[in-house]
Amino acid sequence: MKILEIPSIFFPRGGAFCLDQAKALARRGHEVRILACVELGITDMPKDYLTRPLGIHWQEYDGIETCTFYARRLPRLTKLNNKRWIETVMLMMEEYVSRHGLPDIIHAHSVHWAGYAAMKISERWGVPYVITEHSSRAIFEMEFGEGVTDCWQIPLLKAALRKAKVVIPVADELVENLRPLFGTDYHHSSISNTIDTDFFVPRERDSHSCYSFVYPAVFFPLKAHDLLLESMRIVVSRIGNVHLHLAGRGTDNQKMKQLISNHGLYGKVTLHGSIGKAAMRQLYYDSDCLVVPSRSEAQPLICLEAAATGLPFVGTEVIPRSLRFPGCTIVPIDNAQALADAMCAMVAKGCDTDPTSLYNKVKAMASPEAFARKFEETVFGN
């Protein structure tokens, strides 16, 4: 089948999940391309805003041909920015069709706004579309307002969900999580995200002098780095020989450094900033436990990656049940004391799980082959 992937976000903002799924489907013999309109902000990504090329251009990511446009977001003009983004995707689609003809199906990543753009493309060209939903309610509420259910965006997004051939939440819990905003008047069937299970594999952990926690996540309020540092302060007061590694965009900025100083954690936290895939795997190998203090998640890929390398984790109640592997510990959201207690307990007991067993569980649900087969069964019915 000819599959066109349309992500709501893509590199350099993120979107690895879209590329990983595109590669998984391509490995099954499908003709897969990506159409990515990437929004850049002058305040959060000034270098990219000023240096990324203008206009539509084509490039390859890991063998997947990608049509890309870098859209410059205008400050505080949400409605106009959304309108311009959708109009740009429609223009990009015209170029795509002139070059490759119509796809058999469009695979949008998140209804906001790729799913809505897919609906508009479907109305114009008659191509069916599916939506994989990666975002929790808290992500939508950052734009809509917390508890707001009557903003102008919601009817548009509900229509896109309702008209999709199928909506694919990355975890069963996401449907109920989004119910207050979008209801459930759409056909849905969950499929896990995929990770590279040929790359993230278990091996003997590298030796190090103290117990090490790792948390790879963009520095962002919902990721709760503030809470984690408060918990780490408690852990350090009880167990001196512990260390925390933080990786992800923004984790090496001045605000993070100030938070570390405020909590008296100088020398106890290493800031890695944005790192590549190989460096991330090495960080898992160098660590003893993943810690996920998030206030909201749909399906954190870091839990899949870490577990695939044999790493146990401590996480909050936002972790979906499908990822609560043997050896993991779940604690309440926004409870620094409970998180610290669980971290201390993990240090005390060490890893009591079998790395190979963990890897096999991840592979069964999230390998490229497992994802592609489930996608084909759900979308194509074969």
Side-chain angles (χ1 to χ4, degrees):
M1 303 289 280
K2 294 174 64 176
I3 303 172
L4 177 60
E5 307 272 343
I6 303 182
S8 294
I9 60 170
F10 202 62
F11 303 117
R13 297 202 66 89
F17 45 78
C18 172
L19 180 59
D20 286 344
Q21 292 192 10
K23 288 160 58 180
L25 293 168
R27 283 170 62 172
R28 293 279 288 185
H30 300 289
E31 185 180 324
V32 187
R33 296 182 179 86
I34 296 173
L35 189 154
C37 181
V38 185
E39 277 196 322
L40 302 174
I42 186 62
T43 55
D44 62 340
M45 302 185 74
K47 182 179 178 181
D48 290 290
Y49 191 97
L50 296 172
T51 61
R52 292 280 174 170
L54 300 174
I56 297 172
H57 63 284
W58 294 79
Q59 58 189 313
E60 279 200 1
Y61 287 94
D62 288 355
I64 303 297
E65 188 180 21
T66 304
C67 178
T68 310
F69 183 92
Y70 296 105
R72 273 63 178 181
R73 190 172 180 86
L74 303 175
R76 297 184 294 277
L77 295 173
T78 298
K79 193 168 187 176
L80 178 60
N81 287 321
N82 292 340
K83 181 174 182 290
R84 292 173 67 223
W85 191 92
I86 293 160
E87 289 173 347
T88 300
V89 170
M90 297 297 284
L91 289 173
M92 295 172 71
M93 186 65 189
E94 289 182 2
E95 175 157 333
Y96 175 93
V97 172
S98 69
R99 181 179 291 216
H100 294 295
L102 290 174
D104 295 306
I105 196 158
I106 294 169
H107 181 198
H109 292 267
S110 195
V111 67
H112 179 273
W113 285 97
Y116 181 77
M119 181 186 76
K120 302 302 288 184
I121 290 170
S122 181
E123 290 173 350
R124 178 169 176 180
W125 279 282
V127 180
Y129 68 96
V130 300
I131 302 171
T132 289
E133 190 51 67
H134 302 267
S135 299
S136 66
R137 185 171 75 244
I139 297 295
F140 290 98
E141 288 181 338
M142 291 182 65
E143 180 176 320
F144 303 167
E146 188 172 351
V148 174
T149 58
D150 60 352
C151 59
W152 63 269
Q153 296 98 322
I154 289 178
L156 304 180
L157 301 180
K158 287 175 74 173
L161 291 168
R162 190 171 59 251
K163 294 178 182 179
K165 181 176 182 180
V166 62
V167 176
I168 306 170
V170 294
D172 290 337
E173 292 90 340
L174 198 52
V175 174
E176 187 60 32
N177 177 266
L178 294 173
R179 180 195 291 268
L181 295 178
F182 305 127
T184 58
D185 183 25
Y186 52 89
H187 175 49
H188 57 84
S189 180
S190 64
I191 303 176
S192 169
N193 267 310
T194 183
I195 64 165
D196 187 347
T197 49
D198 293 329
F199 183 83
F200 292 103
V201 296
R203 77 169 203 196
E204 186 176 344
R205 309 231 80 76
D206 294 338
S207 61
H208 39 275
S209 59
C210 66
Y211 194 96
S212 295
F213 293 96
V214 60
Y215 181 40
V218 175
F219 185 45
F220 183 64
L222 292 178
K223 299 300 182 180
H225 290 88
D226 56 333
L227 179 83
L228 176 56
L229 292 175
E230 173 61 22
S231 298
M232 188 64 182
R233 183 189 63 78
I234 298 170
V235 173
V236 169
S237 71
R238 295 186 195 171
I239 308 169
N241 199 28
V242 292
H243 199 83
L244 173 64
H245 293 274
L246 298 177
R249 191 173 73 245
T251 53
D252 56 349
N253 67 18
Q254 193 56 45
K255 187 173 181 180
M256 178 67 84
K257 294 174 183 177
Q258 187 61 54
L259 280 172
I260 291 169
S261 176
N262 292 346
H263 287 289
L265 292 173
Y266 180 77
K268 291 294 183 179
V269 183
T270 298
L271 303 179
H272 296 268
S274 296
I275 59 176
K277 185 177 176 181
M280 190 63 253
R281 181 180 64 176
Q282 186 60 48
L283 201 49
Y284 291 135
Y285 290 146
D286 290 337
S287 303
D288 299 288
C289 181
L290 172 72
V291 58
V292 186
S294 298
R295 298 181 170 103
S296 179
E297 292 282 359
Q299 190 203 38
L301 293 182
I302 57 175
C303 292
L304 291 168
E305 293 174 352
T309 69
L311 203 63
F313 64 83
V314 174
T316 62
E317 291 171 334
V318 301
I319 305 296
R321 289 177 179 80
S322 59
L323 297 190
R324 297 184 186 186
F325 303 118
C328 81
T329 302
I330 301 299
V331 300
I333 302 166
D334 268 325
N335 189 322
Q337 185 65 59
L339 185 61
D341 290 344
M343 293 167 71
C344 288
M346 193 66 77
V347 175
K349 74 176 184 178
C351 182
D352 58 357
T353 57
D354 174 30
T356 301
S357 176
L358 270 179
Y359 173 77
N360 288 337
K361 289 180 182 296
V362 173
K363 187 174 182 179
M365 70 177 292
S367 69
E369 294 78 12
F371 161 78
R373 285 196 303 268
K374 187 68 180 294
F375 185 90
E376 289 171 342
E377 291 168 1
T378 302
V379 176
F380 306 135
N382 57 5

